[in-house]
């Protein structure tokens, strides 16, 4: 996807060993459709060569405010004016201090100081040793630059090049890319608390066996990510799936439908939007054996009895919070045929304002899907696209309905 198509990013590198990650970041930004202009401090050039960054960005790298290649000799003006954002990655402790003081004696800090603040955002990806990160001077400087309008991104935790372990690592290139994409996303769900269920459930037969289904969780995870990018506070209750947690999303792992209901009931009370994408098992074994069921040699097969699982969506949709209009509930319908008829009936049966239909067997585990949105007014198709794109479209649809006056 070209999620940064048309965006021009000034990627500034200050001195730090994390410069090696900036090469990958530069590629990732370009792969998403951005154009990237690299500016490096003298210290950054000790860690990675401008040649590497020029080759990856396909543009000459700037490093001096006296660069005679610019006709007016003002690279600090020319480079910043065409940017959609300036991203400093890595942003060293020294560079934060320079920004906090408004210094302008080398090109990168000069360029940051000279940028039109109302138009060109400044994003900082700090990278430093844990002691430097924890030092009151650094924290004071970070607070100051944030107050001055910069967006200070998080740092990672873990092993550091110096051999120590702690906070201060620069985020990984993929994480930084996600942060940049999120930064440019319109905040249509700002102030909303979104609760999402995703994936299958696993209903135990005994300690080593159980009943589950083919749901991959991809749609629910994509929705959680898109909702967070749109400014919501997101909690994701996930059945057993091997997917990375979207950045900034609170994840709660569960196994069974009963566990999923318990987690959902706790978080639904604070939520303003509930999106049930999970493929919850309709039935569970009436008794889960505490020990592995063994063959006894007789050839007899075990007889399993089933009981119905709670309907999580219907339970939440009937709660006081939802009935009062304070929780907007969205259901999904995984059908094999007659999508519109089944989805419409399911919307009424579950008591939700919006139901999203899809053909289950055609989408389970896939990266794309097609959706049918059904509400009281009628239905609308979201044609086949990646789950990422569909999640963004669905979030926009929910934002429209959530901000509309209650009926
Ligand atoms: N759902 C739920 N709890 C259940 C079953 C379903 O929360 N025990 C939610 C799903 O997350 C989805 C919606 O209800 O949002 C519809 O799920 P689906 O499996 O399509 O429908 P069912 O209610 O199971 O009905 P049926 O199997 O008869 O089609």
């Amino acid at each position: 996807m070209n999620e940064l198509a048309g965006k021009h990013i000034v990627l500034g590198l200050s001195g730090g060993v994390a410069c090696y990650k900036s090469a990958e970041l530069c590629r990732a930004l370009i792969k998403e459709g951005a154009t990237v202009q690299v500016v490096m401090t003298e210290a950054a050039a000790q860690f990675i060569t401008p040649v590497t960054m020029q080759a990856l960005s396909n543009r000459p790298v700037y490093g001096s405010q006296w660069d005679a290649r610019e006709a007016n000799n003002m690279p600090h003006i020319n480079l910043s004016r065409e940017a959609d954002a300036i991203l400093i990655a890595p942003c060293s402790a020294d560079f934060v201090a320079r920004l906090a003081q408004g210094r302008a004696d080398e090109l990168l800090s000069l360029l940051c100081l000279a940028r039109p603040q109302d138009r060109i955002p400044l994003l900082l990806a700090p990278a430093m040793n844990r002691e430097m990160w924890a030092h009151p001077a650094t924290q004071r400087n970070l607070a100051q630059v944030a107050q001055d309008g910069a967006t200070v991104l998080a740092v990672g935790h873990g092993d550091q090049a110096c051999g120590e372990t702690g906070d201060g690592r620069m985020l990984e290139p993929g994480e930084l890319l996600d942060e940049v994409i999120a930064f440019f996303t319109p905040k249509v769900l700002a102030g909303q608390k979104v609760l999402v269920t995703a994936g299958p459930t696993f209903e135990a037969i005994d300690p080593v066996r159980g009943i589950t289904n083919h749901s991959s969780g991809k749609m629910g995870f994509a929705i959680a990510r898109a909702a967070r990018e749109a400014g919501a506070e997101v909690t994701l209750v996930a059945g057993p799936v091997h997917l990375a947690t979207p950045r900034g999303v609170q994840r709660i792992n569960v196994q069974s439908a009963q566990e999923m209901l318990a987690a959902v009931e706790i978080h639904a009370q604070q939520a303003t939007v509930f999106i049930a994408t999970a493929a919850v098992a309709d039935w569970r074994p009436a008794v889960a054996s505490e020990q592995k069921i063994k063959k006894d040699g007789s050839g007899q097969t075990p007889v399993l009895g089933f009981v119905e699982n709670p309907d999580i969506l219907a339970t939440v949709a009937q709660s006081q919070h939802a009935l009062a209009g304070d929780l907007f509930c969205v259901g999904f319908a995984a059908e094999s045929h007659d999508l519109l008829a089944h989805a419409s009936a399911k919307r009424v049966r579950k008591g939700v304002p919006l139901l999203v239909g899809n053909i289950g067997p055609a989408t389970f585990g896939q990266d794309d899907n097609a959706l049918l949105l059904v509400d009281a007014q009628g239905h609308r198709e979201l044609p086949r696209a990646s789950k990422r794109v569909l999640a963004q479209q669905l979030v926009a649809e929910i934002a429209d309905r959530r901000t509309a006056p209650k009926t």
Side-chain angles (χ1 to χ4, degrees), residues 197 276-282 309-314 330-335 346 349-350 355:
T197 64
T277 68
V280 183
D282 289 323
N309 267 328
D311 189 320
I312 300 168
L313 176 61
V330 182
F332 267 68
E335 306 295 343
K346 201 168 276 185
R349 197 167 73 237
K350 303 262 179 180
L355 194 115

Side-chain angles (χ1 to χ4, degrees), residues 9 13 29 56 78 130 147 150 155 189 217 237 245 263 279 302 330 336 341 352 362 371 391:
I9 314 275
L13 279 64
L29 291 167
L56 292 172
N78 305 346
R130 62 176 184 158
Q147 197 187 324
V155 289
L189 286 183
V237 180
T245 310
V330 182
S336 61
V352 296
L371 301 179

Side-chain angles (χ1 to χ4, degrees), residues 348-406:
V348 175
R349 197 167 73 237
K350 303 262 179 180
V352 296
L354 178 62
L355 194 115
V356 184
N358 62 164
I359 299 293
T363 184
F364 276 4
Q366 304 294 313
D367 288 324
D368 62 357
N369 197 359
L371 301 179
L372 183 71
L373 307 190
V374 182
D375 63 13
Q377 278 70 48
H379 67 276
R380 197 184 144 202
E381 269 177 54
L382 298 183
R384 185 155 286 279
S386 69
K387 290 182 178 175
R388 168 81 176 136
V389 166
L390 291 171
Q392 290 167 322
Q393 292 172 345
L394 182 60
V395 159
E397 294 277 348
I398 292 169
D400 279 351
R401 290 168 167 84
R402 186 65 215 168
T403 47
K406 288 179 202 169

